[in-house]
């Protein structure tokens, strides 16, 4: 007895130890997944990838995959498990047993059914796994039953489980939770008791989870929160037509402590988001009335709202009032005037306390933005009162931002202006709100701006002013410039008046006057945030008032003429270009300002309308840039040893814009082009000089070269006309192309150097706007191809050859690789025939692998490549059997390789025939083209293969299958002429249809993998 107990204890201990090891291994896999998908360190990612490849090939991979799916805490680990399972069920060597694949199939369906909240990419990977199991097991048979063919039944049962659960079980659960909550609210619960508190919390979570269920499988995420509609089933209508459900949650909010009330508000957010079509018009109005009453009650008794969680959820609830209901419906609610007043007061108070829950402000601004945008479309006779309350909201936002500046600087708090995304989001919302009752908005901005600008100017002129005071005023002006740009950008052409354009003019004049003041001080000091606000303003101004968007008789231009002497659009453009040059001169080492400035220049150079660019080119400032684009005038063009090579990317944008401007009047003027290229010529000569010596500053050479090729890429992108492109090509070839080749040879291991060079070459060979259509007598096409291929060869020889498996793991790489093979086999078979045997075999094995690829594009390309190879081989064999001139040595070598390795061609014949007969062949025509050549080259093997397939059929089906093969070759001659190929393709279509009909009623299972052996 004691021995038995000891044995049991040992077994338990061993099991616990094994379990603990599995858990530890799971944690390690989770870490590796995060490193693979999240880390920015290339070395760490490479190590993680290597470790995960070893995991995929480990013998216990299957059990660990299930553990990852069951216990994994991240979506990345679930994705890894799904991917590994796909590879396991796909392998042809040592395939999984049929029973195991059935278990995996069933497990995947149940997993999907019970976890509706999976990440979208995990769901997709699991569905692909199910599809892969079904496809590969289509002909697998268990007890006379094709177990993987009942796809429709499996999916239907899967959907029925969800539908039944949603329509009955889930609704029953929701009803039960509501009833229990009613009972709890009717009792005097002691919520200080942990058990009672926990019970109520779980009931609220249960209700929320029922309402938050993904009823239609959309898997919405938090980023679309403000657009979410809860697709409640029609069978749930009774719960929402009954006002007691809504009233229950409002009553609970007021009766339970703040620790639980956020859950109640979360439920109310979901209830407020119920789809509109659940009700008719009368029912919807009644439901909305109860909802608004509840909101009013919360606003009238805001004791719980100081809690951040309550506050956030309540802001979400307010936003749903407009996202799910129309303004015309809201104004008809009986107590609308009182509610809109309370909401406005709540919003103003919230904005004034800017430091409290800043992430919740988005929902309040979203509500007012939607309300203001709806004003022109309201047909109801009841007053919406927005003309009274939107100015209050606008004023509260503006003044609160200005007041926050001093507090942030004094207390060292995080500055909201540093979060560009958040600021832009709020400004987009304010642009619509501020345009409602625009006269009041404009008057407020003018008043505040004048006060801030006057104070700022006085501080600058005073000798006793502190740096803190100046910084505070610059911060206030930064907010005002951002806001002015936003409200100008909110102009809607059909709803704007001359008076509003005149108001825009008042605001624009003030910003430009401020710009003149700040630019005059840049030699001594500048404020980065204020400059970024200026650029944001210029971008909005450009979108609305530059070009054909508005009439030049607009009152804005009149005001600019009166105040600043800017009489027309050309003079306004001169202000833009002047600001761009000033920024590039003084802020060249500040990447955010430089990149945004160059983006503004790029937008102006795009040329819509074309007359705009012509006006730009006539400006003296633009001519200055075209004639002086050197580091002396634009510091960001210099070689700075402290900066990263990637920081030079903005140079491409700069030269793209300059290239467009140069092309306006360039025509065929080669002297003008040579003059423009002088700085780049000097840079190339400097690099050539450095590379010609044995000892040179490698970092300086790299930086100079990278900057240069980025500049050239921008010019090449802009030169989309044939004449200008030929000037560039004649300039770079043949003088400077060897320098690029030398750079690739020296620094092939440094992507920061090779990538810009290769991108320049890619741009040069891009036939943009047909610019590479050279004359018949011109050798430029051949020269360009020769230089490009030389560079590709130079760069390519530095890499270790990838295995075919590695190539197929990367979709983009595999598509490019097989497209290249297709072109090579189509036009350069003599070259391929001259390659070494191991290279030829690698090409053939790659094509064989690609024939079974899931990517149709890859599979089709492989069929085409195989067709070219088979046709070439067939012609060489035909020539050798006739009295023809002696073939070239390369042809003999290629024939010899094929004779030494007949299994390669035979394998591809087996693969193609297997796909056509047993799989869902989506590119049958492409498959048919090489198949005839494969059959003619391997007639004996084809006969054996045919007999094998026929004999695998039931006795009563063998004659029919034999007849199908006979009909396939009926009328087919022993050649590969087009007419013969077309006839074979027609026969193959009939063959495939007849074979499928013959096998439908067969009780014998044919495993498609058997043919591949």
């Amino acid at each position: 007895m004691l021995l038995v107990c000891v044995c049991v204890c040992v077994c338990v201990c061993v099991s616990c130890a094994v379990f603990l090891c599995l858990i530890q291994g799971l944690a390690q896999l989770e870490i590796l997944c995060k490193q693979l998908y999240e880390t920015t360190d290339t070395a760490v990612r490479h190590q993680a990838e290597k470790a995960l490849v070893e995991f995929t090939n480990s013998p216990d991979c299957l059990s660990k995959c299930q553990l990852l799916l069951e216990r994994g805490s991240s979506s990345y680990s679930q994705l890894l498990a799904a991917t590994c399972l796909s590879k396991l069920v796909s392998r042809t060597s040592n395939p999984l047993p049929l029973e195991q694949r059935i278990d995996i199939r069933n497990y995947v369906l149940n997993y999907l059914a019970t976890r509706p909240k999976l990440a979208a990419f995990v769901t997709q990977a699991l569905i692909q796994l199910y599809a892969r199991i079904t496809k590969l097991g289509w002909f697998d048979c268990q007890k006379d039953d094709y177990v993987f063919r009942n796809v429709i039944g499996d999916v239907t049962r899967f959907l029925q489980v969800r539908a039944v659960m949603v329509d009955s079980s889930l609704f029953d659960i929701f009803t039960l939770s509501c009833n229990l909550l009613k009972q709890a609210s009717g009792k005097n619960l002691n919520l200080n008791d942990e058990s009672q508190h926990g019970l109520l919390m779980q009931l609220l979570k249960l209700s929320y989870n029922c309402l938050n269920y993904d009823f239609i499988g959309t898997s919405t995420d938090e980023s679309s929160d403000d657009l979410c509609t809860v697709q409640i089933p029609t069978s749930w209508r009774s719960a929402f037509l009954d006002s007691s459900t809504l009233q229950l949650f409002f009553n609970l909010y007021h009766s339970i402590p703040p620790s639980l009330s956020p859950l109640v508000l979360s439920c109310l957010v979901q209830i407020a988001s119920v789809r509109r079509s659940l009700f008719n018009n009368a029912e919807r109005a009644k439901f909305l009335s109860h909802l608004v009453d509840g909101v009013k009650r919360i606003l009238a008794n805001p004791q719980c709202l100081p809690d951040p969680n309550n506050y956030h959820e309540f802001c979400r609830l307010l936003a749903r009032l407009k996202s799910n209901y129309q303004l015309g419906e809201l104004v008809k609610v009986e107590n609308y005037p009182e509610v809109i007043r309370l909401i406005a007061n709540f919003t103003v108070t919230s904005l004034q306390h800017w430091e409290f829950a800043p992430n919740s402000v988005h929902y309040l601004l979203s509500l007012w933005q939607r309300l203001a945008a709806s004003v022109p479309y309201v047909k109801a006779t009841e007053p919406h009162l927005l003309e009274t309350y939107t100015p209050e909201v606008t004023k509260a936002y503006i003044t609160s931002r200005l007041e926050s500046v001093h507090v942030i600087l004094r207390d060292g708090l995080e500055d909201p202006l540093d979060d560009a995304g958040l600021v832009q989001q709020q400004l987009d919302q304010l642009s619509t709100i501020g345009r409602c009752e625009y006269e009041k908005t404009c008057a407020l901005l003018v008043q505040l701006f004048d006060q801030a600008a006057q104070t700022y100017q006085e501080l600058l002129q005073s000798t006793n002013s502190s740096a803190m005071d100046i910084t505070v005023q610059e911060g206030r002006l930064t907010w005002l410039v951002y806001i002015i740009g936003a409200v100008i950008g909110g102009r809607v052409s059909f709803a704007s008046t001359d008076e509003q354009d005149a108001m825009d003019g008042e605001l624009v004049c003030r910003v430009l006057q401020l710009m003149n003041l700040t630019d005059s001080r840049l030699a001594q000091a500048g404020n980065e945030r204020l400059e970024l606000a200026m650029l944001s303003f210029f971008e909005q101004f450009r979108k609305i008032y530059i070009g054909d968007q508005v009439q030049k008789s607009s009152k804005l231009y009149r005001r600019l003429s009166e105040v600043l002497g800017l009489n027309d659009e050309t003079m306004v453009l001169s202000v833009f270009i002047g600001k761009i040059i000033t920024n590039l001169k003084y802020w060249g080492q500040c990447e955010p300002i430089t990149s945004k400035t160059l983006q503004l220049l790029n937008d102006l150079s795009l040329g819509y309308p074309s007359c705009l660019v012509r006006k730009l080119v006539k400006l003296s400032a633009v001519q200055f840039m075209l004639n002086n684009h050197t580091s002396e005038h634009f510091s960001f063009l210099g070689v700075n040893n402290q900066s990263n090579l990637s920081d030079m990317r903005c140079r491409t944008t700069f030269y793209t814009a300059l290239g467009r401007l140069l092309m306006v009047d360039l025509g065929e003027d080669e002297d003008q082009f040579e003059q423009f290229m002088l700085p780049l010529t000097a840079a190339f000569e400097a690099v050539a000089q450095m590379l010609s010596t044995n000892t040179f500053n490698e970092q300086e050479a790299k930086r100079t070269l990278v900057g240069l090729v980025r500049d050239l890429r921008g010019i090449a992108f802009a030169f989309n006309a044939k004449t200008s492109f030929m000037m560039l090509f004649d300039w770079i070839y043949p003088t400077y192309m060897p320098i690029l080749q030398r750079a690739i040879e020296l620094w092939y291991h440094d992507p920061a150097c090779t990538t810009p060079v290769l991108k320049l070459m890619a741009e040069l060979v891009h036939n943009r706007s047909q610019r590479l259509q050279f004359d018949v007598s011109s050798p430029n096409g051949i020269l360009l191809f020769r230089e490009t291929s030389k560079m590709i060869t130079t760069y390519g020889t530095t890499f270790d050859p990838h295995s075919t498996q590695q190539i197929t793991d990367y979709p983009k790489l595999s598509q490019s690789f097989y497209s290249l093979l297709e072109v090579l086999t189509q036009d350069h078979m003599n070259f391929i025939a001259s390659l070494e045997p191991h290279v030829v075999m690698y090409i053939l094995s790659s094509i064989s692998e690609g024939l079974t690829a899931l990517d149709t594009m890859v599979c089709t390309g492989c069929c085409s490549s195989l067709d070219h190879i088979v046709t070439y081989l067939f012609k060489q064999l035909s020539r050798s059997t006739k009295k023809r001139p002696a073939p070239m040595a390369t042809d003999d070598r290629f024939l010899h390789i094929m004779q030494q390795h007949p299994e390669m061609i035979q394998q591809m014949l087996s693969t193609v025939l297997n796909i056509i007969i047993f799989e869902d062949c989506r590119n049958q025509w492409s498959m048919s083209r090489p198949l005839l050549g494969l059959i003619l080259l391997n007639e004996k093997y084809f006969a054996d293969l045919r007999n094998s397939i026929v004999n695998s059929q039931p006795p009563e089906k063998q004659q029919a299958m034999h007849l199908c093969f006979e009909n396939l070759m009926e009328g087919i001659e022993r050649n590969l002429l087009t007419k013969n190929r077309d006839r074979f393709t027609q026969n193959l279509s009939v063959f495939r249809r007849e074979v499928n009909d013959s096998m439908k009623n067969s009780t014998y299972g044919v495993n498609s993998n058997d043919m591949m052996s």
Side-chain angles (χ1 to χ4, degrees):
M1 185 65 183
L2 179 62
L3 181 61
V4 172
C5 292
V6 170
C7 291
V8 170
C9 291
V10 170
C11 291
V12 170
C13 291
V14 170
S15 300
C16 291
V18 171
F19 181 73
L20 287 174
C21 289
L22 285 175
I23 294 299
Q24 292 172 355
L26 175 64
Q28 182 63 28
L29 286 173
E30 296 249 22
I31 294 172
L32 289 172
C33 289
K34 287 188 176 182
Q35 290 176 345
L36 178 65
Y37 291 106
E38 293 181 351
T39 185
T40 57
D41 189 328
T42 306
V44 173
R45 186 188 299 115
H46 180 73
Q47 290 296 326
E49 184 177 4
K50 183 177 179 182
L52 290 175
V53 168
E54 294 176 358
F55 162 72
T56 305
N57 298 325
S58 64
D60 59 345
C61 177
L62 187 60
S63 59
K64 286 186 176 179
C65 284
Q66 183 175 356
L67 194 63
L68 276 175
L69 288 172
E70 292 290 344
R71 296 178 175 270
S73 60
S74 74
S75 298
Y76 295 136
S77 60
Q78 295 167 337
L79 176 63
L80 172 68
T83 305
C84 291
L85 287 173
S86 293
K87 291 183 178 180
L88 286 175
V89 300
S90 302
R91 68 187 184 193
T92 54
S93 59
N94 191 24
L96 294 178
L98 176 61
E99 292 77 10
Q100 206 163 32
R101 282 180 286 140
I102 294 173
D103 290 341
I104 295 174
R105 187 269 313 269
N106 295 338
Y107 177 81
V108 168
L109 283 174
N110 290 329
Y111 191 84
L112 285 168
T114 55
R115 291 169 175 80
K117 293 291 185 180
L118 290 172
F121 57 86
V122 176
T123 302
Q124 182 181 7
L126 290 169
I127 292 172
Q128 289 176 342
L129 169 59
Y130 173 76
R132 180 72 62 88
I133 294 172
T134 302
K135 177 181 178 181
L136 297 178
W138 191 252
F139 292 100
D140 289 347
C141 191
Q142 185 183 53
K143 297 180 180 179
D144 299 337
D145 180 26
Y146 291 101
V147 289
F148 293 110
R149 292 194 180 185
N150 192 21
V151 182
I152 302 299
D154 292 339
V155 175
T156 301
R157 284 194 297 274
F158 168 70
L159 294 175
Q160 283 175 345
V161 168
R162 286 173 57 97
V164 169
M165 185 182 74
V166 170
D167 287 339
S168 58
S169 302
L170 191 61
F171 181 56
D172 292 340
I173 293 171
F174 176 67
T175 304
L176 176 63
S177 67
C178 289
N179 290 334
L180 290 174
L181 285 171
K182 287 178 183 178
Q183 293 177 22
S185 63
K187 296 180 180 179
N188 187 19
L189 293 179
N190 179 16
L191 294 179
N192 292 323
D193 184 348
E194 283 189 14
S195 60
Q196 296 188 31
H197 185 280
L199 177 62
L200 188 57
M201 176 183 289
Q202 295 305 321
L203 280 175
L204 289 170
K205 285 183 177 180
L206 179 60
S207 298
Y208 174 74
N209 288 334
C210 290
L211 293 167
N212 197 42
Y213 184 79
D214 186 8
F215 292 98
I216 59 173
T218 54
S219 297
T220 55
D221 56 23
E222 291 183 0
S223 64
S224 60
D225 179 78
D226 56 336
L227 300 176
C228 181
T229 300
V230 180
Q231 301 291 336
I232 292 292
T234 306
S235 59
W236 290 37
R237 284 183 81 243
S238 58
F240 297 94
L241 291 177
D242 184 359
S243 61
S244 62
T245 303
L246 195 58
Q247 197 62 42
L248 166 66
F249 288 97
F250 279 117
N251 291 337
L252 282 170
Y253 169 80
H254 292 284
S255 62
I256 61 179
S259 59
L260 293 174
S261 47
L263 279 172
V264 178
L265 289 174
S266 296
C267 293
L268 286 169
V269 169
Q270 295 302 106
I271 294 173
S273 306
V274 169
R275 61 184 174 94
R276 293 172 53 83
S277 56
L278 191 68
F279 312 104
N280 59 36
N281 290 339
E283 292 167 345
R284 189 182 308 114
K286 183 179 179 181
F287 179 81
L288 179 59
S289 178
H290 290 300
L291 182 62
V292 171
D293 281 339
V295 169
K296 175 190 171 186
R297 186 179 167 196
I298 293 176
L299 288 168
N301 301 278
Q303 294 86 354
C304 295
L305 291 180
D307 178 79
N309 293 325
N310 275 330
Y311 173 78
H312 181 76
E313 291 300 325
F314 184 66
C315 290
R316 291 182 64 218
L317 177 60
L318 290 178
R320 296 295 172 94
L321 286 179
K322 182 59 188 74
S323 64
N324 213 30
Y325 301 95
Q326 299 172 4
L327 180 57
E329 295 172 326
L330 286 169
V331 298
K332 293 180 180 179
V333 174
E334 183 179 356
N335 51 5
Y336 171 79
E338 178 64 13
V339 171
I340 196 68
R341 182 187 66 81
L342 290 171
I343 292 176
N345 292 340
F346 174 75
T347 305
V348 169
T349 303
S350 298
L351 292 173
Q352 289 171 344
H353 295 82
W354 52 268
E355 72 282 3
F356 179 77
N359 293 329
S360 306
V361 171
H362 159 75
Y363 297 104
L364 294 176
L365 293 178
S366 173
L367 167 66
W368 287 99
Q369 178 191 23
R370 293 171 184 275
L371 289 171
S374 302
V375 169
Y377 309 102
V378 177
K379 297 180 180 179
T381 56
E382 294 82 357
H384 52 69
L385 303 177
L386 294 181
E387 70 280 357
T388 302
Y389 297 114
T390 48
E392 294 181 8
V393 173
T394 303
K395 180 179 180 180
Y397 180 86
I398 296 172
T399 55
S400 64
R401 303 309 109 169
L402 300 186
E403 291 165 1
S404 70
V405 174
H406 177 71
V407 178
I408 289 170
L409 290 172
R410 182 193 65 197
D411 299 340
L413 303 178
E414 184 177 353
D415 195 334
L417 288 171
D418 292 335
D419 189 344
L422 178 65
V423 171
Q424 190 57 52
Q425 183 186 58
Q426 292 182 359
L427 291 176
D428 288 343
Q429 294 168 325
L430 187 69
S431 65
T432 304
I433 302 170
R435 276 277 165 177
C436 186
E437 296 299 309
Y438 190 49
E439 296 82 358
K440 297 179 182 178
T441 301
C442 186
L444 175 66
L445 287 172
V446 167
Q447 176 192 349
L448 294 172
F449 193 96
D450 288 347
Q451 291 174 357
Q454 183 178 356
T455 304
Y456 182 55
Q457 197 165 10
E458 291 172 354
L459 288 170
L460 293 179
Q461 293 171 352
S462 172
T463 56
N464 299 324
S465 58
S466 67
M468 177 70 168
D469 292 337
I470 294 176
T471 305
V472 168
Q473 291 306 314
E474 286 177 342
R476 292 167 65 88
L477 288 169
T478 298
W479 273 110
L480 287 169
V481 172
Y482 266 125
I483 292 169
I484 289 172
V487 296
I488 289 175
R491 179 185 185 273
V492 180
S493 58
F494 68 84
S496 295
T497 62
D498 288 345
E499 289 72 19
Q500 290 182 345
D501 287 354
M503 295 176 209
D504 284 348
E506 292 288 346
L507 297 175
V508 171
C509 287
R510 282 163 171 77
V511 175
L512 295 183
Q513 287 171 330
L514 174 65
M515 180 196 73
N516 293 333
L517 175 62
T518 55
D519 285 355
S520 66
R521 298 185 62 251
L522 284 177
Q524 294 83 35
N527 186 293
E528 180 181 339
R529 292 193 183 101
L530 182 54
E531 292 297 333
L532 290 172
M534 290 281 186
L535 289 170
S536 175
F537 161 79
F538 273 109
E539 180 59 23
Q540 297 299 331
F541 184 36
R542 181 195 67 81
K543 289 179 181 178
I544 301 301
Y545 285 107
I546 299 296
D548 285 344
Q549 289 88 341
V550 297
Q551 296 293 324
K552 300 308 175 287
S553 59
S554 165
K555 286 193 175 182
L556 175 134
Y557 279 91
R558 295 185 193 176
R559 190 58 184 156
L560 291 179
S561 176
E562 294 169 1
V563 178
L564 301 175
L566 302 176
N567 300 320
D568 55 23
E569 187 179 58
T570 301
M571 298 186 73
V572 173
L573 287 173
S574 69
V575 174
F576 273 76
I577 298 300
K579 182 58 180 173
I580 288 170
I581 293 176
T582 301
N583 279 3
L584 295 179
K585 178 180 179 180
Y586 289 103
W587 294 98
Q589 303 307 316
C590 179
E591 195 277 333
I593 292 179
T594 301
S595 62
K596 288 185 179 297
T597 300
L598 291 175
Q599 188 58 51
L600 177 62
L601 175 63
N602 187 62
D603 293 339
L604 288 171
S605 72
L606 283 172
Y608 181 78
S610 58
C611 61
L612 177 64
V613 185
R614 296 196 175 277
K615 290 179 181 179
L616 280 173
V617 173
K618 292 178 182 178
L619 297 175
S620 59
V622 171
Q623 290 299 318
F624 174 82
M625 284 196 294
L626 291 174
N627 295 318
N628 298 278
H629 46 96
T630 63
S631 59
E632 179 184 354
H633 298 282
F634 303 105
S635 59
F636 75 96
L637 295 176
V639 178
N640 183 0
N641 291 327
Q642 303 301 319
S643 61
N644 295 322
L645 292 177
S646 59
D647 292 342
M648 298 182 179
R649 290 174 180 169
C650 59
R651 296 174 62 145
T652 302
T653 306
F654 179 61
Y655 274 95
T656 299
L658 289 190
R660 292 196 190 103
L661 295 171
L662 178 67
M663 277 188 61
V664 174
D665 295 326
L666 180 62
E668 299 179 0
D669 190 344
E670 295 186 4
D671 292 337
Q672 185 182 357
F673 173 77
E674 293 290 343
Q675 181 68 28
F676 176 78
M677 298 298 289
L678 281 178
L680 285 82
T681 303
F684 248 136
E685 296 294 342
V687 175
Q689 181 67 30
M690 283 187 277
L691 296 183
S692 64
T693 61
N694 293 328
T695 58
F696 61 89
N697 188 328
E698 185 176 12
Q699 286 303 314
E700 182 182 356
K702 276 186 181 182
R703 293 178 184 280
T704 305
L705 179 80
V706 169
L708 185 56
V709 295
R710 290 191 186 279
D711 299 344
L712 287 173
R713 182 177 166 223
I715 297 172
F717 182 87
F719 282 12
N720 56 7
K722 183 177 179 181
T723 304
S724 56
F725 180 78
M726 284 311 305
M727 290 183 189
L728 177 63
F729 180 72
D730 291 339
W731 178 85
I732 198 173
Y733 177 85
T735 310
Y736 301 123
M737 198 65 78
I739 298 175
L740 301 180
Q741 297 280 359
R742 179 62 177 154
I744 291 293
E745 293 173 2
L746 286 175
W747 302 311
Y748 65 87
H749 57 279
D750 188 356
C753 186
T754 56
T755 300
V757 175
L758 294 174
K759 282 187 174 182
L760 170 61
M761 294 304 298
E763 184 58 44
L764 289 176
V765 299
H766 189 175
N767 191 21
R768 198 181 299 280
S769 301
Q770 302 298 308
R771 64 186 181 184
L772 298 184
Q773 296 295 329
F774 301 113
D775 296 333
V776 176
S777 59
S778 172
N780 288 328
I782 297 173
L783 296 174
L784 180 58
F785 173 78
R786 186 178 68 184
E787 293 300 320
T788 306
S789 60
K790 187 189 300 183
M791 183 168 292
I792 292 173
T793 303
T794 302
Y795 186 60
T797 52
T798 63
F799 287 108
D800 295 328
H802 287 279
S803 71
T804 308
Q805 185 61 44
Q806 286 177 307
I807 291 174
T808 54
D809 284 345
Y810 299 93
K812 291 182 180 178
L813 175 61
S814 63
Q815 289 180 4
S816 300
F817 174 74
Y818 286 108
S819 295
L820 174 62
L821 276 187
E822 185 178 358
V823 174
L824 289 175
T825 54
Q826 178 179 348
D827 301 323
H828 307 285
M829 270 308 301
N830 287 329
F831 169 75
I832 290 179
S834 67
L835 296 173
E836 293 297 322
H838 72 278
V839 179
V840 174
M841 294 305 296
Y842 176 78
I843 292 174
L844 291 173
S845 63
S846 299
I847 293 173
S848 179
E849 184 76 23
L851 288 172
T852 59
L854 295 177
D855 190 331
T856 305
M857 185 183 299
V858 169
C859 181
T860 302
C862 287
C863 291
S864 179
S865 301
L866 180 58
D867 184 31
H868 298 315
I869 294 174
V870 168
T871 301
Y872 178 85
L873 186 58
F874 186 82
K875 287 181 179 178
Q876 300 308 317
L877 285 172
S878 299
R879 180 181 296 173
S880 65
T881 58
K882 300 178 182 178
K883 294 182 179 180
R884 296 284 181 87
M888 297 171 59
T890 56
D891 298 337
D892 280 341
R893 182 163 63 180
F894 188 68
L895 290 174
H896 180 70
I897 294 172
M898 293 295 97
Q899 290 168 354
Q900 289 290 104
H901 302 279
E903 72 281 354
M904 183 62 71
I905 295 294
Q906 293 171 359
Q907 172 68 25
M908 287 191 278
L909 168 58
S910 175
T911 300
V912 173
L913 197 59
N914 171 59
I915 293 172
I916 289 173
I917 295 177
F918 298 108
E919 296 190 19
D920 180 19
C921 185
R922 290 172 290 178
N923 50 350
Q924 181 178 313
W925 187 91
S926 299
M927 286 281 182
S928 72
R929 307 316 275 184
L931 182 57
L932 177 59
L934 290 169
I935 291 174
L936 296 180
L937 289 172
N938 298 273
E939 291 179 297
K940 183 178 183 304
Y941 180 77
F942 175 68
D944 295 340
L945 197 59
R946 176 190 60 194
N947 293 335
S948 174
I949 295 173
V950 170
N951 293 333
S952 69
Q953 298 299 304
E956 68 274 10
K957 297 285 187 180
Q958 291 182 4
Q959 182 61 34
M961 183 63 74
H962 180 78
L963 185 60
C964 290
F965 276 99
E966 291 292 330
N967 293 337
L968 174 63
M969 303 304 295
E970 182 179 355
I972 303 302
E973 301 174 3
R974 203 178 185 284
N975 62 63
L976 294 178
L977 300 178
T978 302
K979 183 178 180 181
N980 199 42
R981 286 173 180 267
D982 291 343
R983 177 176 294 174
F984 179 79
T985 299
Q986 294 173 1
N987 288 359
L988 187 66
S989 298
V990 177
F991 168 79
R992 186 166 184 268
R993 185 172 61 250
E994 291 177 346
V995 166
N996 285 338
D997 291 341
S998 174
M999 296 177 64
K1000 278 181 181 177
N1001 298 321
S1002 174
T1003 57
Y1004 278 55
V1006 181
N1007 190 332
S1008 61
N1009 290 329
D1010 292 343
M1011 283 185 58
M1012 303 297 293
S1013 59

